Amino acid sequence: MDKYEQVIELAKRRGFLWNSFELYGGTAGFYDYGPLGSTLKRRIEQIWRELFVIQEGFMEIETPTVGIENVFVASGHVGGFSDPLCECKACGEAFRADHLVDKIVPVADALSNEELDEIIRESQVKCPECEGELGETYEFNLMFKTQIGPGSGRQGYMRPETAQGMFVDFLRLARFYREKLPFGATQIGKSYRNEISPRQGVIRLREFTQAEAEIFIDPQDKSHSNFSRFADTAVNLYSDEAQDKGAVEKMTLGEAVEKGIIAHEFLAYQIGLTNLFLQRVGVSPDMMRFRQHKKDEMAHYAIDCWDAEVNTDRFGWVEVVGIADRTDYDLSAHATVSKTELSIYREYPEPKMVTQFVVKPNMGKLGPLFKGKAKNVAEALKALSQEELEQDNITVIIDGEEFTVPRDVVEFAEETVKVSGENIVPHVIEPSFGIDRIFYTVMEHSFDEETVPAKEDTEEEARIVMRLKKEVAPVQVAILPLLTREELIGPAKSIEVQLKQKGLLVSYDDSGTIGRRYRRNDEIGTPYSITIDYDTLEDNTVTIRERDSMKQVRTSIEGIEEILYDLMYKDRDFESAGDVL
């Protein structure tokens, strides 16, 4: 078995991950999180909240997972959220065409359907399932479609990302933050993509969890007030230029900004924060890099985009986070479709005298002429140029209908006025985290198999240990009475209550030999185990065992909850927790 199979086998056996709908044969692209998996996932999410919500101050919101069609028309998902699909002419299986050739060409997802077809033909790529001939590539929209309401209802879609809810709520958020840039919102929730061929476990799901931040900043000032926090942080950068050379460069974020490799401080700060988060939850730093989107793969509206990629045993480098400067694309797109100005007022340091072209529609005349459309006509007139307004009959179009406006109902002129500020459309910095992918990479990077040295009269034995970071471990402390005897169970249960009252995640286990229970807890990543034995009844002490080193100390039951809390959260040295055995 490769490491992926070992991790998934353990995950299924011990209650981290299960295939969804197993009772009915299951279906690809869906997984259930078991008791341990759900807890591990929540603890990863909680660390994300601590960094982005508590420390950065980007408050969390919650928006519907179903969206109306207009939202996704504006975002571009209805017209352009698709993957290239090709089907086997023999067995009918469907495949991502770019995935079939990604070992043949370097950037397969930047190719057109025609280019993909040509490579498939020239390289004689066959169906991975039956070796049959593949059909022509076509675009497949990845959104799940639904109807809102009975009958014909209203067209809706399951959201393909959490971001759009935050863009739609922009005006509310701006008022909440008193229109002072920068400000941001965060959201952790489910998103849905009808993936063509999800054959990579939790790496590619049809229902998945995202943690996203939408940070609105001044387009003319992309510095970061706290950039010094990460300026000296060295990260593995795989820039556009480095990809041409085929070599990752390690450099500080400050140096990367200074050299123009990363577009600006605000983006570099988010890379630094992402690096901190991934290492904190347990991603190995030497198995992580930040890859810049090449010019031919970057979205046309973006200034700069970087992906945090993590190296995995089976799938190679996997994107787990995308960090992008999306400019004003999203807000401008929603403003156009909704016909609502999505901007904020920015006050100048000092008022300015400016010459403006001012259009003044006469509402007293427009009202009788255009009735309920008068306001819309007035707004349309304000958008016209001086040349257009000088015509004898002025033409405007409202909702596809043309109106002719007499020349005498509107006045215009250039005026010099004092201006204290202006309306601006903020730019958006978006760090987007795939929680399920991070969950898997944390498990793979924590998985270890080692040979335990033999003790007297015993042979060497293999030990599987999940070396999870203490703050993400789904079980923090295991309570293990040496035997299932009433005189040992009583103290064990009492210690369990003490630790739970301290807020620690505790598991009570009295089944099997003590050695077997140690191994069971090692393979789910439990950092500490407490053994209650007959010496406990004599001197009120217990044994604490540390997972990674297997060292043991003997300590008093009195105050044990404080000792374990300090070991978990305050980096207390293990050997200071008691008498080393």
Side-chain angles (χ1 to χ4, degrees), residues 285-326:
D286 58 346
M287 302 282 277
M288 175 171 62
R289 71 185 184 191
F290 290 89
R291 187 185 72 82
Q292 187 175 35
H293 285 206
K294 293 180 73 66
K295 292 178 178 61
D296 59 0
E297 65 172 317
M298 195 182 300
H300 65 89
Y301 50 79
I303 286 177
D304 198 7
C305 300
W306 293 79
D307 292 338
E309 297 183 332
V310 177
N311 202 5
T312 62
D313 187 64
R314 174 178 288 190
F315 306 115
W317 290 99
V318 172
E319 174 198 347
V320 296
V321 186
I323 308 160
D325 181 339
R326 298 177 60 88

Side-chain angles (χ1 to χ4, degrees), residues 266-290:
F266 216 103
L267 198 63
Y269 183 90
Q270 296 306 317
I271 291 173
L273 193 59
T274 299
N275 178 67
L276 172 65
F277 166 76
L278 291 175
Q279 290 194 42
R280 188 168 157 186
V281 299
V283 174
S284 177
D286 58 346
M287 302 282 277
M288 175 171 62
R289 71 185 184 191
F290 290 89

Side-chain angles (χ1 to χ4, degrees), residues 61-69 71-72 77 81 142-148 155-166 168-169 187-193 206-210 212:
I61 68 170
E62 186 173 321
T63 62
T65 58
V66 176
I68 61 173
E69 187 173 37
V71 171
F72 302 114
H77 286 93
F81 188 63
L142 298 177
M143 284 197 295
F144 284 99
K145 190 181 291 188
T146 186
Q147 293 293 125
I148 301 172
Q155 184 71 63
Y157 295 91
M158 304 299 289
R159 68 182 182 192
E161 61 184 18
T162 64
Q164 299 308 317
M166 291 180 271
V168 170
D169 282 345
Q187 191 166 190
I188 299 180
K190 293 288 190 180
S191 295
Y192 306 85
R193 297 180 185 179
R206 288 177 166 133
E207 177 185 278
F208 54 95
T209 301
Q210 282 184 304
E212 293 190 299

Side-chain angles (χ1 to χ4, degrees), residues 26 101 123 151 171 179 254-255 278 304 331 369 406 456 501 510:
V101 303
S123 303
L171 291 178
E179 298 198 5
E255 185 183 356
L278 291 175
D304 198 7
L331 293 181
L369 285 172
E456 286 185 42
Q501 288 177 341
D510 60 9

